[in-house]
Amino acid sequence: MGGIRGNIRQWWGRGWALAGANPLVVDIGIALFVQCAMTMPFVVPRAAGLPPATWDAYLLSTLTVVPLVWRRRAPVAVLFAVLAANALYGLAVDGPGQPLPYTGLVVVYTIAALSPVRKRLVTGGVLLIAVPVGVWLNTRSARELTFSVFVFAAAYVFGRLTDARQRANRVEAEQAAARERARIAREMHDILSHAVSLMIVQAEAGPVAVRAAPERAEAAFDAISATGRDAMVQLRRMLGVLREGGAESAAEDPAPREPQPGLAELPALLERMRSGDLDVVYGTAGAVRPVPDLIGATVFRVVQEALTNTLRHADARTVTVRLTYGDSELDVRVTDDGRGPQPGSGGGGHGLIGVRERAAVHGGTAVVGAGPDGRGFEVRVRIPVPAAAEVAR
């Protein structure tokens, strides 16, 4: 039974994919569905005294359906074609009637959903004339007129609701794309800024170390190489996720697809920073416990950005990284003994803005500014974290 349901879902998904890629297929399907509905009065037994169901009448009723195939490309022209075909059917033959004006409802819905205001106004004016005329030619009853006005108004309202929903979906998609672009920009900034800053510092210290302490020069060059390789791995990982394609592209580019770095990679990050003249002190407080991967990745990037700023701007000798595990939050502090914030800077660099954005994603806060007693610079981020049992689940 499960296999049958799976096959049905698979075929249903393929059908939707085909429909999304080929709107004409959808329009042909709608025309066939409407034709089936209009065929019913011709195949059910008819009472004596009713107009006969002749082939001429059936062919003319089909003529009213055929224009629906072009309903998206020229909806107003299709509306006039449908009205003309219906008028021909009513004047030329005395065939079975229809319980609903199917073709007219489909066209009105399409115009309401896809057409600009000018075409919708033209449609409204045409219907104000066509509906009363059609009722007069048919039954001349107020009941039919009221019913016709109601169903056409309902088709128009449904079309406008469809248009509003599609607009909302497009806005939501654009906002999601903007958020994703901002996230990618933050990741690229963090990766490249950290790697390039560390490589520049090590490269500048290399010539001095070659003359004074060759073993330190070798370590500096090893650090440059390791930093560059790590940056390349992270960039390939990110670009591999963004790259479109299936198994074919995966075979062409066997880039790793590991998760983003988290708390487990934090010691390696600090060790790379220690390879220069900067002394990095790391400590934790509270009951250390697992945190969700997304929070771990955020903490890693926050510490990475704070250390990069220390390396580039602070002229510091020591930087302290401290993680404090509370009952419901994780407190991350990165404090250096460098120059501190410059007057008028406001802490508004791209990296620090990214730190605030990363914290806000998890409902946390970020504060940047002078360190304790006004010395150095401090980045402090507080992020709510669930209990260990929730993380395990």
Side-chain angles (χ1 to χ4, degrees):
M1 195 68 175
I4 296 176
R5 280 198 296 265
N7 290 334
I8 292 175
R9 291 195 196 98
Q10 186 177 9
W11 282 104
W12 183 261
R14 289 179 180 176
W16 273 110
L18 179 64
N22 301 276
L24 181 61
V25 174
V26 178
D27 295 338
I28 293 175
I30 291 175
L32 291 175
F33 183 78
V34 171
Q35 181 63 32
C36 290
M38 296 187 65
T39 302
M40 296 300 175
F42 289 88
V43 296
V44 297
R46 301 184 59 76
L50 292 178
T54 63
W55 279 106
D56 293 341
Y58 184 71
L59 291 177
L60 282 178
S61 70
T62 303
L63 186 62
T64 66
V65 178
V66 172
L68 295 182
V69 174
W70 295 275
R71 69 185 186 96
R72 294 177 196 261
R73 282 172 282 185
V76 175
V78 169
L79 173 64
F80 282 106
V82 166
L83 292 176
N86 277 298
L88 180 62
Y89 181 87
L91 295 174
V93 298
D94 188 20
Q98 298 290 338
L100 283 172
Y102 300 107
T103 52
L105 294 178
V106 172
V107 178
V108 169
Y109 168 85
T110 302
I111 293 174
L114 303 179
S115 298
V117 177
R118 182 175 59 83
K119 291 185 178 180
R120 298 202 301 269
L121 291 176
V122 170
T123 301
V126 171
L127 292 178
L128 286 176
I129 300 173
V131 171
V133 170
V135 172
W136 185 81
L137 291 175
N138 190 22
T139 63
R140 303 184 183 182
S141 67
R143 179 179 178 181
E144 182 183 359
L145 178 61
T146 303
F147 179 75
S148 299
V149 171
F150 173 78
V151 294
F152 277 109
Y156 182 85
V157 170
F158 280 127
R160 296 307 302 147
L161 291 176
T162 299
D163 178 63
R165 186 176 68 251
Q166 291 174 344
R167 288 175 183 269
N169 291 340
R170 285 194 295 269
V171 170
E172 184 179 354
E174 291 171 359
Q175 291 175 345
R179 290 194 297 269
E180 184 66 10
R181 286 195 297 268
R183 186 192 68 80
I184 294 171
R186 286 197 303 267
E187 296 289 340
M188 297 283 286
H189 172 273
D190 291 349
I191 294 171
L192 295 177
S193 177
H194 170 75
V196 173
S197 298
L198 189 56
M199 292 167 70
I200 289 174
V201 170
Q202 297 289 355
E204 290 176 344
V208 178
V210 167
R211 293 189 295 269
E215 67 281 357
R216 288 186 59 193
E218 183 177 351
F221 294 138
D222 289 341
I224 292 173
S225 176
T227 302
R229 284 195 299 270
D230 180 68
M232 287 299 298
V233 168
Q234 294 191 54
L235 289 174
R236 291 189 68 196
R237 178 188 306 160
M238 181 184 304
L239 297 176
V241 171
L242 295 175
R243 184 167 297 155
E244 296 180 356
E248 208 173 282
S249 64
E252 294 174 0
D253 179 26
R257 300 291 195 272
E258 296 89 350
Q260 287 288 329
L263 294 183
E265 288 75 25
L266 201 54
L269 170 66
L270 302 181
E271 188 59 35
R272 288 197 301 270
M273 300 299 295
R274 290 191 186 102
S275 59
D277 293 332
L278 185 65
D279 183 23
V280 181
V281 180
Y282 176 58
T284 61
V288 178
R289 64 179 188 274
V291 300
D293 292 340
L294 290 177
I295 293 179
T298 294
V299 172
F300 180 92
R301 294 301 187 197
V302 166
V303 173
Q304 183 184 59
E305 178 59 29
L307 293 177
T308 301
N309 285 338
T310 297
L311 194 66
R312 294 174 61 188
H313 307 300
D315 194 21
R317 306 298 298 176
T318 304
V319 60
T320 302
V321 179
R322 187 173 183 84
L323 273 58
T324 302
Y325 291 81
D327 293 335
S328 60
E329 71 174 14
L330 177 60
D331 186 294
V332 182
R333 293 193 186 194
V334 182
T335 308
D336 63 54
D337 60 355
R339 289 193 298 263
Q342 300 301 308
S345 62
H350 292 293
L352 296 180
I353 292 175
V355 167
R356 296 188 182 97
E357 291 175 345
R358 288 181 185 277
V361 165
H362 303 286
T365 59
V367 179
V368 299
D373 302 324
R375 296 194 303 268
F377 195 85
E378 181 178 74
V379 176
R380 183 177 184 181
V381 173
R382 292 178 176 176
I383 300 176
V385 294
E390 296 180 17
V391 176
R393 275 202 303 272

